[in-house]
Amino acid sequence: MEILGIDVGGSGIKGAPVDTQSGRLTARRKRIATPDGAHPASVAEITAAIVRHFCWTGPLGCCIPARVRQGVATTAANIDQAWIGTDAAALFSNATGCPVAVLNDADAAAVAEMRFGAGRELGGVVLLLTFGTGIGSALFNNRALLPNTEFGHLYLNGMVAEHYASDRIRKENDLGWDGWAERVQEYLDHVERLLDIDTFILGGGVSKPKKTAKYLHLLKTRARLMTAELMNEAGIIGAACVGESRGNLAEVLRNA
Ligand code: BGC
């Protein structure tokens, strides 16, 4: 089935129709810069613009960088505080006229990776981490997702980890790949002290092969370390899969 997936990120809002059987985008994705502050109303307008761009009238899935419970955002780290308590599913449905399922962006990316990407064959404890504006996390035990984990908000050296080791911090502080990898190593060590992980999947923009070549060899973990395969499209694909099942994550993962 073809479903429109939309990924609301810190710097861009990206969408494309997805064939949910193959996990492939069926048209070139449309990207619009995230408005300053990412207020719910302006994000909803852009979502509607993406829906119009594809002349879309069917169901869609949308992922946002926040905890989401039954369509309602309950946190807002890198987006406007007005998201907290906002019924994002209702907001996007009203703006687009389409039925919309909403989930956390790292959970969406992880659903896609488990179904079509690096996690296809993985059981055990899998932690997908996305490095971008923040650090997103998605934790699976034997392919069952524990939704809405926020391991990017662990404290590391007296700081919120995503303010220390995200890709945004690498760029803003001019850390270089080596300097950034040292921070990521500290972060992964910390996570491994807390959780007994079988496999890490590193995702987000830093999972592009030409980027992983610059830092992956510098990282050492007890758990197996893999990189995501679907890269920047993972959020769109995962959101579309959840849109198809109208927000029923368990159903999506059963099919994974
Ligand atoms: C948010 C998470 C999100 C992550 C990646 C964090 O700041 O709290 O919900 O998954 O950024 O976008």
Side-chain angles (χ1 to χ4, degrees):
M1 192 175 179
E2 230 186 338
I3 303 282
L4 186 67
I6 297 183
D7 180 358
V8 177
S11 58
I13 302 176
K14 298 156 283 183
V18 175
D19 172 352
T20 54
Q21 282 313 303
S22 66
R24 289 186 201 286
L25 271 50
T26 58
R28 221 172 137 217
R29 71 176 193 173
K30 173 79 179 161
R31 181 185 188 278
I32 300 177
T34 306
D36 275 350
H39 189 275
S42 39
V43 170
E45 268 173 38
I46 292 179
T47 306
I50 293 176
V51 165
R52 282 195 301 274
H53 172 83
F54 290 107
C55 303
W56 194 259
T57 52
L60 59 121
C62 203
C63 64
I64 61 174
R67 275 192 167 145
V68 182
R69 273 182 164 247
Q70 272 101 39
V72 178
T74 63
T75 59
N78 292 310
I79 49 177
D80 198 289
Q81 294 298 301
W83 281 97
I84 299 174
T86 293
D87 186 334
L91 175 77
F92 294 144
S93 293
N94 290 337
T96 61
C98 303
V100 186
V102 183
L103 78 161
N104 171 264
D105 58 355
D107 285 349
V111 162
E113 287 294 337
M114 293 303 275
R115 194 157 162 182
F116 304 110
R120 275 185 310 268
E121 318 252 297
L122 294 179
V125 178
V126 177
L127 181 63
L128 178 130
L129 296 168
T130 60
F131 291 84
T133 308
I135 298 178
S137 61
L139 182 66
F140 293 83
N141 184 28
N142 289 329
R143 305 187 70 76
L145 174 69
L146 176 66
N148 287 318
T149 58
E150 287 284 9
F151 294 126
H153 292 255
L154 288 173
Y155 265 69
L156 190 62
N157 298 327
M159 287 173 82
V160 175
E162 69 176 10
H163 297 163
Y164 183 71
S166 65
D167 195 39
R168 174 175 64 86
I169 295 294
R170 175 184 68 80
K171 293 177 192 151
E172 282 179 9
N173 295 6
D174 234 342
L175 295 178
W177 288 103
D178 290 19
W180 179 71
E182 270 176 38
R183 291 186 178 203
V184 173
Q185 181 67 58
E186 280 178 67
Y187 175 62
L188 296 176
D189 288 345
H190 188 50
V191 171
E192 285 208 297
R193 274 194 293 273
L194 301 173
L195 294 168
D196 195 7
I197 293 164
D198 294 306
T199 310
F200 281 110
I201 303 177
L202 304 186
V206 299
S207 56
K208 290 181 185 153
K210 68 173 194 289
K211 293 193 175 173
T212 56
K214 298 186 175 150
Y215 69 85
L216 202 59
H217 60 287
L218 301 170
L219 301 177
K220 296 216 166 6
T221 50
R222 194 196 48 73
R224 170 167 38 175
L225 192 56
M226 299 175 78
T227 50
E229 289 176 9
L230 306 171
M231 295 168 271
N232 279 336
E233 289 174 356
I236 296 175
I237 298 167
C241 292
V242 174
E244 179 178 27
S245 69
R246 306 285 164 103
N248 185 338
L249 268 172
E251 181 188 293
V252 178
L253 290 160
R254 255 198 311 279
N255 294 334

